[in-house]
Amino acid sequence: MAAALALAALLALLPACGPGDGKVAGVTVNYGISNPWDSLMPYNSISGSNYARMIYDKLYDRLAYVHADGRLSPRAAKSWEGSEDGHTALFHLDEQAAFHDGTPVTAEHWVETFTLMTDPACPVLGRGNFSVFTGTDQDGCRVAGETFGVEAVDEYTLKFTFRDPTTPEDFLLNKNREFYVLPTHLLEGEDPAGLMELEFWKAPVGSGPCRFLEEVPGSRLTLAANPDYQLGRPGFDKLVITVMDKSNLLTALIAGDMDYYAIGGNITTENASLAESSGLTVLKGTVPNTFFELMLNAERIPDARVRRAIELALDKELLCEQSTHGLGRPAGSSLSPEGPYAAAAEPAGARDVEGARSLLAEAGYDGRSYTLVCTSNRAGLAALMQQNLAEAGINITIETVDSAAMFAGMADGTYDLGIASHTPAALPLWFTEPRLSETNNLFHIADLTPYSQRIQAIRAETDVDKRMELVAELDSYLAQERPFIPLWFGTALHVQSPTVANIDYPSASFSNENVWEWVKE
Amino acid sequence: MESGKRVWFRLRSDRRAVVCMVILALEVLCVLLLPPLLGLEPNVTDRTAGFWAAPSAEHWLGTDDVGRDILARLICGGRISLLVGFAAAAINLAVGVPLGLLAGYRRGAWEFWIMRLADVFQSFPNIVLTLCLVSLMGASVLNLVLVLGLLGWPGIARLVYGNVLSVREKEYILAVRALGGRTGTILYRNVLPNAVAPVWAALGQRVGRAILSESSLSFLGVGIRPPQASWGNLMQSASSLAVLTGRPWVWLPPGLLIVLTVVCLQILGNALRDAMDPRAARKER
């Protein structure tokens, strides 16, 4: 009774937080999002968040569509092929693709976009992504006198030349969400230095499945379906994207004020039964979409035996259960258990408190206390870890901060341990490569050479079997050194839209949504 | 100065105050004595019961998201909440009363600087300032007490200041001054007893407000450091829709205890003010 009353009261309050006057004529899909986009220019996002990417995904086109299981489907590119040495890739563009002003999208548009974005004078955010191409420096700026690795072979064939061997599939899995084609024919003659300040970005023209209609910055964005999108016309007329507090998304869906919410209608196990009792269908994700790890500061915990002891002391089964409520599996590696390199992954291993104590004694652990940092919603998880570690004789104190402060604190060495989660990818180096580099030595490893040599060897190896061996070797080394502790992979629950069909919920975790296939009933 | 016995007698004659005193005394006794007597372990996970277990004979209020006994956390959390409340109010008093006395009695530059400082403190939204300071200093019981205590003095100082302004012009104060009484003695023996009575009523409010502030900060995730329990961070779980609608036993008891404590403190503060008012004593005579 109390539950029903509380829910009724919440639902009664909802009309005030709904889309309100944002409702427009025609078939409208009301889309909720918990964080606002910071710009409508895809290369000018300060946050670089997945929420901003969800907006760009609608307005602009990407080369491919990435499925949750690692499969790739055509989008702006119909097909692609890589060279034998892995240094070049050809993308055959869809001739039907056109900007919202009717101009066909050609390879030249892609080249001009990439040329503009790698111009050192242009204040691009996230330019480092372009450093994969030859002719750029490590910041992604074009280097004068060198040939830029992005060329138009013909009107509809785009050629990329990579600095390191990369298959087009790996490139797309890793970078697809970072690259969009811009209507450079509308930007001709503009000063690159002032590009981001143009009025154009207040009502941009893209070539994505939706066209811009109007925006209330930070609050609401109204888009229209692009009837000429090369993959098909979305099954609605308008898409109204409204920013709402995260805690209101589910209640808005239950109340019928919302058709769908980002990202992927994700829902906690706790709220799943509530959603089901309200008549909504809850779907279980098909592949792991969350990877939890315990970050370690190797400068503060220099002995690998202590780091391994921490891993042995943790009850990963229990922690995984507390966090995922049965929707996860403990991990001993960052390699996705459903990915192509799963066979190379180290097993999770069982909890061994005695083994942890022995390692600590061997390492001469002096009983010092470490600081574990996490976001406040993971305080319970941290408390469980504290109990686990105390049983082995390791003392920790817990600090709860926001996510940005946590990563900043881990980077500057303020904290010793930290709980973080990530969206896993099928690539073998998706986790290790960005975190074990000179530019981002998040785990404060004194000598990165053993890691960078192994990573480089994997990148250079194009033979599948040999690459698998190298990946297994790196994973084994990681298990020995333990710069971070893999905890578990979790699978999401998605609450199904009661009004919109054909939504590919799991793939939303990979920053793309198949809106051209959505149909509002 | 009023004798303690007389104040106690007057306080006892107020039935509502007695009931509130008994409730508060019971609360304090429970949070202090029950944990060692019953061997309560608020930070230990019961793996058998599991996470979010419903109330049972073993766990009267069920278990939380980590499998910890909610009743044990409620009782032990009361220690923190009451400690924060009383300690912050004591700091309010220790800083606010002397500054209010000085500003009201000495006037001039003392009055100007103390009251302008109070204006500065009061011009900031209290919860925002508290949130920022606790975030900067780090969440701990000590920091929370210091921040809440040091930010709450202007209200007490203003209250005392206002009363001192009228008391300092009374004939008996002028007489003591004319007889050559020292400022410190006049303030302590003559001004303070006649100006401080309303502070007792405010003190109850202060304790209640500090408990509520701790609860708000814990609810926002910047209160007490985990895994320590407080009534505020027990309430925090109600931010989940599933807990709010499906597990009232998790958030209702701490919520009720916060309300009960604040109401009792308010009633007791009013009764204490009346009991310590020297004018009440004169009426009795």
Side-chain angles (χ1 to χ4, degrees), chain B residues 109-150:
Chain B
W110 287 93
E111 179 189 33
F112 178 82
W113 287 111
I114 292 172
M115 286 301 110
R116 294 303 74 77
L117 191 64
D119 288 343
V120 170
F121 269 76
Q122 289 189 312
S123 61
F124 290 104
N126 211 296
I127 189 71
V128 177
L129 190 60
T130 310
L131 198 69
C132 291
L133 288 174
V134 173
S135 300
L136 284 174
M137 293 167 68
S140 71
V141 177
L142 180 66
N143 289 345
L144 207 58
V145 166
L146 285 176
V147 169
L148 292 175
L150 293 174

Side-chain angles (χ1 to χ4, degrees), chain A residues 2-3 6-7 10 250-251 270-271 274 315 318 321-322 325 351 376 379-380 383-384 386-388 391 397-400, chain B residues 43-45 47 51-52 65-66 68 138-139 220-222 225-227 236 239-248:
Chain A
L7 185 60
L10 276 170
L250 178 61
T251 40
E270 278 183 349
N271 285 337
L274 182 73
D315 188 341
L318 185 74
E321 178 59 30
Q322 193 273 344
H325 302 268
R351 188 181 189 215
S376 59
L384 262 186
Q386 190 180 42
Q387 289 180 49
N388 280 178
E391 285 169 33
T397 52
I398 301 167
E399 278 205 29
T400 55
Chain B
N43 299 327
V44 173
T45 298
R47 297 183 191 201
F51 309 126
W52 288 130
D65 63 326
V66 185
R68 299 170 295 201
L220 293 170
V222 291
R225 190 192 288 261
Q236 194 190 8
S239 59
S240 152
L241 189 60
V243 176
L244 183 70
T245 55
R247 302 184 190 111

